[in-house]
Amino acid sequence: MTKEKIKERIEKLRQILHYHNYQYYVLAQPEISDFEYDNLLKELKELEENNPQFFDPNSPTQRVGNDTTLEFKQVTHKYPMLSLGNTYSSEEVTDFIQRVQKGLNGEETEFTCELKFDGVAIGLSYKKGLLTQAVTRGDGVKGDDVTNNVKTIRSIPLKLSGNDFPEEFEIRGEILLPHKGFEKINNERKKNNEPPFANPRNAAAGTLKLQKSATVAKRPLDCFLYSILGDHLPFKTHYQNLTKAREWGFKVSEHIKICKGIDEIFEYINYWDKERHQLPFGTDGVVIKVNDYQQQEKLGYTAKSPRWAIAYKFKAEQATTKLLSIQYQVGRTGAITPVANLEPVLLAGTTVKRASLHNSDQIKLLDIHENDTVFVEKGGDIIPKIVGVDKRKRKTGSKEIDFIKKCPECGSDLIRIEGEAKHYCPNTAGCPPQIKGRIEHFVSRKAMNIGGAEATIEALFNKGLISDSADLYYLTKEDILSLERFGEKSANNLLQSIEESKTVPFQRVLYALGIRYVGETVAKTIAAKYPSIDEIMNASFEDLTAIDEIGERIAQSIIDYFKDKRNIKIIEKLKNAGVQLAQDNLTSKQKQTDKLKGLNIVISGTFKNHSRDELKELIEKNGGKNTSSISSNTNYLLAGENIGPKKLEKANKLNIQIINEDDFLQLLT
Ligand code: IVH
């Protein structure tokens, strides 16, 4: 074959395969057998391999993924990815419709009702009909670029059909794992002794973040699209554009419906509340949207969500099953949590085998006896809980559950603190799950953020290489290499991550220590008043309770923590290792520089490590100017959590670079 002919054949094959892909994965109406499809794909693969000059990143062959390990690049969303107001009550749906009608001065309004897909949100960008980027929601402002993984999802078109799509647009939807695929993956995981995913949503999210796209390609992810964004959309209503998108090759649910008023909306909700169980994938509610874009615009947005849409969530599903036994887990604070082992039962698309029972009061309240038949429900969908007992099925003479008296891990007598629902194991220093739990908390993302250590702690602890969090800083490369599955590269990565954690600011270190009741916010509050560990150690109970928002319980817990000599030793070790045990005082210590000279920076939202005043001070100390509103003179929008959507939109329109707190600090280094 001449090169010309080869090129022609490659293009033809790509076209044919795109077509059959769409028939199979989007329309579920295959026209050829799998065998024929595979043969065509094989032919194309061979031609492409032998003629690399004709490579195309959007070829159907690229859906198989590869084994390259990728770090996900953070990408700023062109349009912020907002969330929806949620409700479980029909009254609130009625209120929403009335609010809309009032906001539109009684104009006639059409709504669309759609299924609320239970998966992971994704934004797909297309340019000239080609998929160019796929980004996860992230914090709504920035997400992860997961394009390579998304390309493996067969129902997402890599190349659009027709020629009437806008030159550039974004389409958003939900990536999900249908029930069947979920069962299959979990069965495989069990076979390989890997922990199963808790539900299809977690499985989809976990899959999307896998490092190797070849592994993603083996998981049967699917994607429904539910909104289009762009400057030149063909129609002025949401419904028309979505219908059109189907022609371009997107999978748009056939269950979207235009509803004219409240009665039709409730008819749709009630229908799907029952029928959802027949769907091959999970849905946790219905999304109601104003159909007309102009009306959407008029209604606008609140800080977090559009005023023109609402999500009605279905009530949790219930199932009955048998209680087999109760297991008692010991948390990092020594708190004992009873967990019920259940006879496996299918609930909302997943098999439930365990349910939390919270504490002994809860067991009493539910009046659970051994071998009872219980009602389980998925609250918030992740951890199922027992909500009642079917007493008609109780065997006569069955025994009440007797809450344990001794710690199941170390045998210490359990205690119960006054006013608390939980029992505790008091052996803080010697009870293994408490020690491991504290170290796991110490390395967690919001604390010291030591990547890769979470999974390793068990092994390090069991080998006697660490017995508290400070020991991490004294690990040698040889120590880490002595663990199974650790090679040169992963050992270096772990050591580097430990090293980097020495720059984590003081308030997060304080949180990382795991003092009971000192969560993120409390740590921030205390560090603002006492910016070093020495000052906190010297503070009296009265000093601490004098701080706004610090009550007696927290103050006592802090005093107790520092009374314990073992904790003082940990702090000494952390200090010697160079961990920030005093406010780094980026703001007050930092010298004047002109690193931000001539730059206008707008701050919006709330930030993890600094107050807005501190950021303002930093900008000014470094020669920049902090301005309050965005204009074409703005150089950066420093965006935190809960940033106003209007600000973001304006910044995007004016092409202003949006940076987060870490990016900003980078500018100063
Ligand atoms: S529209 C402005 N439609 O639910 C938000 N969202 O909190 C527009 N979701 O983040 C979203 N099905 O991930 C929309 N038919 C649907 C949806 C849907 C699922 C997800 C989406 C969003 C979350 C709402």
Side-chain angles (χ1 to χ4, degrees):
M1 260 204 281
T2 64
K3 286 282 162 207
E4 209 33 52
K5 281 262 174 292
I6 290 174
K7 189 167 174 234
E8 241 173 59
R9 180 67 189 154
I10 286 181
E11 275 165 9
K12 186 80 203 159
L13 281 166
R14 284 177 185 161
Q15 199 189 348
I16 298 172
L17 283 160
H18 278 310
Y19 172 80
H20 288 299
N21 199 63
Y22 177 68
Q23 294 298 317
Y24 186 91
Y25 289 103
V26 178
L27 302 182
Q29 289 163 358
E31 290 179 2
I32 57 173
S33 67
D34 288 2
F35 179 73
E36 284 167 290
Y37 183 92
D38 288 344
N39 275 346
L40 292 169
L41 192 67
K42 198 167 149 219
E43 184 187 346
L44 177 60
K45 227 188 248 166
E46 275 168 20
L47 285 175
E48 284 181 348
E49 267 163 26
N50 297 330
N51 300 279
Q53 70 272 37
F54 301 133
F55 172 78
D56 175 356
N58 292 65
S59 164
T61 53
Q62 297 306 301
R63 292 200 188 268
V64 293
N66 59 49
D67 270 343
T68 325
T69 308
L70 9 119
E71 288 273 311
F72 299 114
K73 197 173 71 193
Q74 286 261 305
V75 178
T76 305
H77 292 292
K78 185 161 175 201
Y79 310 92
M81 252 192 178
L82 303 176
S83 57
L84 289 172
N86 271 339
T87 178
Y88 287 90
S89 98
S90 41
E91 288 75 35
E92 280 182 30
V93 175
T94 311
D95 288 350
F96 162 75
I97 294 161
Q98 280 168 357
R99 262 197 321 274
V100 165
Q101 271 157 359
K102 196 166 163 217
L104 297 173
N105 299 321
E107 267 174 43
E108 203 171 301
T109 319
E110 260 181 8
F111 296 89
T112 61
C113 281
E114 303 166 28
L115 296 177
K116 187 172 185 301
F117 305 103
D118 196 11
V120 187
I122 193 82
L124 309 172
S125 297
Y126 284 82
K127 281 191 187 138
K128 295 190 179 12
L130 298 178
L131 172 67
T132 52
Q133 202 168 47
V135 184
T136 61
R137 181 174 190 278
D139 60 4
V141 176
K142 280 183 176 188
D144 283 335
D145 180 337
V146 288
T147 315
N148 285 329
N149 286 349
V150 162
K151 275 188 180 171
T152 67
I153 303 174
R154 307 298 207 271
S155 53
I156 293 181
L158 303 178
K159 199 171 172 195
L160 303 185
S161 306
N163 52 17
D164 53 355
F165 40 78
E167 164 119 351
E168 254 185 60
F169 68 98
E170 185 176 336
I171 187 159
R172 290 190 176 159
E174 203 84 350
I175 291 181
L176 47 83
L177 195 58
H179 298 322
K180 258 196 191 151
F182 173 69
E183 291 282 322
K184 188 177 142 225
I185 291 176
N186 264 358
N187 285 339
E188 276 164 19
R189 287 178 77 83
K190 271 175 248 161
K191 249 191 249 154
N192 298 335
N193 271 336
E194 288 166 324
F197 288 114
N199 56 41
R201 187 181 346 110
N202 284 8
T207 304
L208 211 55
K209 294 284 178 70
L210 284 174
Q211 300 285 302
K212 291 176 181 167
S213 54
T215 320
V216 181
K218 291 191 192 118
R219 305 231 176 126
L221 293 175
D222 205 344
C223 180
F224 282 103
L225 285 315
Y226 50 64
S227 91
I228 310 188
L229 302 151
D231 290 334
H232 303 286
L233 302 181
F235 297 104
K236 297 204 176 334
T237 70
H238 168 65
Y239 184 85
Q240 280 172 303
N241 280 325
L242 274 191
T243 309
K244 188 80 201 162
R246 254 192 222 126
E247 289 175 27
W248 302 331
F250 293 107
K251 191 159 182 168
V252 173
S253 166
E254 57 194 294
H255 304 307
I256 175 169
K257 188 167 179 262
I258 292 199
C259 292
K260 291 245 160 57
I262 204 154
D263 293 342
E264 286 182 27
I265 291 175
F266 279 112
E267 204 180 302
Y268 185 93
I269 290 178
N270 294 334
Y271 175 81
W272 282 110
D273 198 1
K274 289 200 194 77
E275 291 304 313
R276 68 189 150 125
H277 308 298
Q278 313 305 326
L279 291 167
F281 52 81
T283 162
D284 55 345
V286 165
V287 182
I288 305 145
K289 300 175 188 165
V290 169
N291 190 25
D292 184 279
Y293 288 151
Q294 245 178 2
Q295 291 188 334
Q296 288 186 358
E297 190 108 316
K298 241 190 231 169
L299 291 163
Y301 300 82
T302 68
K304 284 186 187 162
S305 49
R307 289 201 180 87
W308 44 263
I310 195 168
Y312 171 85
K313 301 256 270 180
F314 296 129
K315 300 234 163 52
E317 284 180 57
Q318 273 193 4
T320 56
T321 187
K322 221 171 138 192
L323 173 68
L324 300 177
S325 61
I326 293 184
Q327 191 186 333
Y328 294 87
Q329 289 176 347
V330 188
R332 78 171 158 89
T333 57
I336 309 289
T337 306
V339 177
N341 288 318
L342 306 168
E343 204 165 81
V345 60
L346 199 68
L347 177 59
T350 61
T351 309
V352 173
K353 287 188 203 147
R354 288 151 70 78
S356 171
L357 277 167
H358 304 294
N359 52 52
S360 65
D361 288 349
Q362 182 74 4
I363 296 178
K364 280 228 164 67
L365 193 75
L366 292 166
D367 183 27
I368 302 182
H369 286 210
E370 286 175 0
N371 303 315
D372 263 349
T373 300
V374 292
F375 296 109
V376 274
E377 191 177 287
K378 280 203 175 169
D381 266 354
I382 299 188
I383 306 163
K385 54 181 179 208
I386 294 183
V387 291
V389 172
D390 189 345
K391 294 203 176 141
R392 292 165 308 177
K393 296 201 175 138
R394 178 174 287 167
K395 300 239 165 57
T396 37
S398 74
K399 274 207 292 185
E400 263 181 61
I401 302 287
D402 211 4
F403 203 84
I404 48 164
K405 308 259 176 324
K406 288 192 184 298
C407 174
E409 299 281 345
C410 69
S412 308
D413 286 338
L414 298 184
I415 53 163
R416 184 143 180 208
I417 303 168
E418 217 174 88
E420 287 228 9
K422 292 235 178 222
H423 284 75
Y424 284 90
C425 163
N427 183 12
T428 329
C431 182
Q434 293 193 55
I435 304 171
K436 279 185 274 181
R438 275 197 301 273
I439 308 176
E440 271 159 17
H441 167 76
F442 184 84
V443 302
S444 64
R445 201 174 55 85
K446 289 184 171 170
M448 302 305 279
N449 191 21
I450 302 182
E454 261 160 3
T456 314
I457 283 162
E458 175 95 24
L460 288 168
F461 180 82
N462 291 345
K463 263 205 141 185
L465 292 167
I466 53 171
S467 54
D468 61 48
S469 13
D471 288 341
L472 287 166
Y473 294 93
Y474 299 89
L475 285 172
T476 63
K477 193 154 150 190
E478 287 65 41
D479 289 340
I480 302 172
L481 284 172
S482 74
L483 301 179
E484 250 175 69
R485 275 192 283 175
F486 261 86
E488 187 78 11
K489 191 167 167 216
S490 42
N492 283 338
N493 285 346
L494 180 57
L495 283 172
Q496 191 186 338
S497 196
I498 293 173
E499 194 56 34
E500 278 168 7
S501 76
K502 293 180 186 169
T503 62
V504 163
F506 172 59
Q507 77 257 27
R508 266 172 60 196
V509 179
L510 184 58
Y511 164 66
L513 291 178
I515 305 172
R516 191 177 293 172
Y517 312 127
V518 179
E520 268 180 287
T521 318
V522 170
K524 229 182 220 178
T525 310
I526 297 172
K529 173 83 180 151
Y530 295 112
S532 74
I533 204 84
D534 296 334
E535 284 170 88
I536 301 176
M537 269 153 71
N538 290 329
S540 66
F541 180 82
E542 288 70 29
D543 290 339
L544 291 168
T545 45
I547 307 176
D548 255 358
E549 290 163 52
I550 305 298
E552 294 185 355
R553 195 179 66 147
I554 302 175
Q556 192 55 52
S557 168
I558 296 171
I559 300 281
D560 291 346
Y561 181 88
F562 291 114
K563 250 196 224 148
D564 192 327
K565 287 208 179 70
R566 290 169 297 214
N567 292 332
I568 303 294
K569 216 166 139 199
I570 294 176
I571 285 166
E572 282 311 314
K573 282 200 285 184
L574 289 173
K575 241 186 216 172
N576 293 337
V579 172
Q580 304 281 323
L581 285 163
Q583 199 84 281
D584 174 24
N585 264 345
L586 251 185
T587 36
S588 55
K589 260 199 248 153
Q590 208 190 27
K591 293 195 298 280
Q592 302 243 346
T593 77
D594 53 8
K595 288 201 167 121
L596 305 178
K597 198 173 162 193
L599 296 178
N600 291 315
I601 302 177
V602 173
I603 308 174
S604 178
T606 51
F607 299 85
K608 221 168 38 194
N609 300 320
H610 295 88
S611 68
R612 284 159 64 134
D613 283 341
E614 283 171 345
L615 292 170
K616 181 169 184 252
E617 201 184 322
L618 276 172
I619 294 174
E620 285 162 0
K621 271 214 160 124
N622 288 282
K625 201 166 149 202
N626 170 226
T627 46
S628 55
S629 60
I630 296 178
S631 72
S632 54
N633 291 330
T634 307
N635 300 87
Y636 293 108
L637 169 60
L638 173 48
E641 267 180 47
N642 296 331
I643 178 177
K646 279 267 170 286
K647 272 218 165 95
L648 262 183
E649 215 175 299
K650 196 158 175 197
N652 274 317
K653 253 199 192 123
L654 296 172
N655 235 344
I656 286 158
Q657 202 178 335
I658 301 167
I659 54 173
N660 62 21
E661 195 179 3
D662 292 341
D663 300 333
F664 172 73
L665 296 177
Q666 202 73 44
L667 290 177
L668 306 181
T669 52

